[in-house]
């Protein structure tokens, strides 16, 4: 089973700041990597698929990069609604999720 | 517009069997490439994929839970059913169903249903 490790666990930033979230896979997943945003009491929302493709309706401040084992989600300028938990997910063998990164207001 | 909604019991006793139904609209599970999966989330913890069913009735299960899971579909009712046997308190959490095209990611999710396992 492929394990996804997200870092950091918590990211404390101010609105307007730049967020860089990391997701590392225990073995290559090619570009079968997606990112989700989850707010308290809500279902996850797809942000990025195929490592770098924004899902429908996702603002351009969200971008994804990487391939193989190392991936990054970047939020270029944090809006108040971006403070949430972010999960990566791979679909190379089964489907697994990372443990999440919480982006909190500093 | 795709919509999914989970339904089922909110409380089950240890050792009982859980049956959850995902009712969807705006998609057809008979269309090539379409899949519906189940994902759960214990309170305050990360997401965990459980099972997935493809448009051609092919099925996949989490290796760690495979012996306890069954996923089926009823295309006439636009429903996917997940059955989990021998429930334990550690199975407490929110259970989501989600739509996938190409089975690489989940682009539409239900609101989730909270299941508590307790005697």
């Amino acid at each position: 089973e492929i394990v996804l490790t997200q870092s950091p666990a918590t990211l404390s930033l101010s609105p307007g700041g730049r967020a860089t979230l990391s997701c590392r896979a225990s073995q290559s997943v090619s570009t079968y990597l997606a990112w989700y945003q989850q707010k308290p009491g809500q279902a996850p929302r797809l942000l990025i698929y195929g490592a770098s493709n924004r899902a429908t309706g996702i603002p351009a401040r969200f971008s994804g990069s990487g391939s193989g084992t190392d991936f990054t989600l970047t939020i270029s300028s944090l809006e108040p609604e971006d403070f949430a938990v972010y999960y990566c997910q791979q679909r190379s063998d089964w489907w697994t999720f990372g443990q999440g990164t919480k982006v909190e207001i500093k | 517009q795709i919509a999914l909604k989970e339904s089922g019991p909110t409380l089950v006793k240890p050792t009982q069997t859980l049956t959850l139904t995902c009712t969807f609209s705006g998609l057809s599970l008979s269309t090539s490439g379409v899949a519906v999966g189940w994902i759960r989330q214990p309170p305050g913890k990360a997401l965990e994929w459980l099972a997935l069913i493809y448009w051609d009735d092919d099925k996949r299960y989490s290796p760690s839970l495979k012996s306890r899971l069954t996923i089926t579909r009823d295309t006439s009712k636009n429903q996917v059913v997940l059955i989990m046997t021998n429930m334990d308190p550690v199975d407490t959490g929110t259970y989501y169903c989600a739509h996938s095209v190409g089975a690489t990611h989940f682009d539409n999710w239900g609101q989730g249903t909270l299941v508590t396992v307790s005697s």
Side-chain angles (χ1 to χ4, degrees):
Chain A
E1 176 182 318
I2 295 175
V3 176
L4 297 178
T5 302
Q6 292 187 240
S7 62
T10 303
L11 197 52
S12 299
L13 294 167
S14 302
R18 181 182 184 89
T20 303
L21 288 67
S22 174
C23 177
R24 178 164 291 178
S26 58
Q27 56 186 278
S28 177
V29 299
S30 183
T31 57
Y32 294 117
L33 197 287
W35 290 93
Y36 301 84
Q37 176 193 68
Q38 188 178 33
K39 298 179 181 179
Q42 296 185 15
R45 176 175 72 145
L46 176 68
L47 299 175
I48 301 287
Y49 65 93
S52 61
N53 302 290
R54 271 190 304 277
T56 302
I58 300 303
R61 64 181 181 272
F62 291 92
S63 64
S65 64
S67 66
T69 60
D70 290 296
F71 300 87
T72 301
L73 173 70
T74 301
I75 311 171
S76 59
S77 180
L78 284 162
E79 297 288 339
E81 63 267 27
D82 298 336
F83 292 92
V85 179
Y86 293 83
Y87 294 96
C88 57
Q89 171 249 315
Q90 68 83 22
R91 191 314 188 217
S92 186
D93 53 1
W94 308 110
W95 293 261
T96 56
F97 291 86
Q99 81 278 20
T101 290
K102 181 179 182 180
V103 179
E104 65 177 22
I105 300 175
K106 185 174 183 179
Chain B
Q1 184 176 351
I2 293 172
L4 306 98
K5 187 173 184 179
E6 306 85 353
S7 59
T10 58
L11 179 66
V12 298
K13 291 181 167 49
T15 76
Q16 286 187 337
T17 294
L18 172 69
T19 300
L20 294 174
T21 301
C22 175
T23 304
F24 51 83
S25 60
L27 70 97
S28 171
L29 202 38
S30 301
T31 300
S32 178
V34 172
V36 172
W38 284 94
I39 300 102
R40 71 177 179 180
Q41 186 172 38
K45 296 188 177 180
L47 301 162
E48 177 185 18
W49 170 74
L50 300 176
L52 183 136
I53 188 164
Y54 289 90
W55 80 98
D56 60 358
D57 207 33
D58 192 13
K59 300 161 188 176
R60 296 287 184 268
Y61 296 101
S62 167
S64 62
L65 294 167
K66 184 175 183 178
S67 63
R68 299 173 53 205
L69 295 173
T70 302
I71 189 169
T72 62
R73 64 176 186 170
D74 186 332
T75 53
S76 66
K77 293 182 178 179
N78 281 348
Q79 291 181 336
V80 170
V81 174
L82 180 74
I83 298 171
M84 180 179 287
T85 61
N86 194 26
M87 294 292 285
D88 183 272
V90 300
D91 296 312
T92 293
T94 299
Y95 287 71
Y96 297 97
C97 62
H99 166 262
S100 177
V101 175
T104 56
H105 55 274
F106 299 100
D107 56 0
N108 286 276
W109 294 62
Q111 64 189 24
T113 186
L114 176 61
V115 177
T116 301
V117 184
S118 174
S119 55

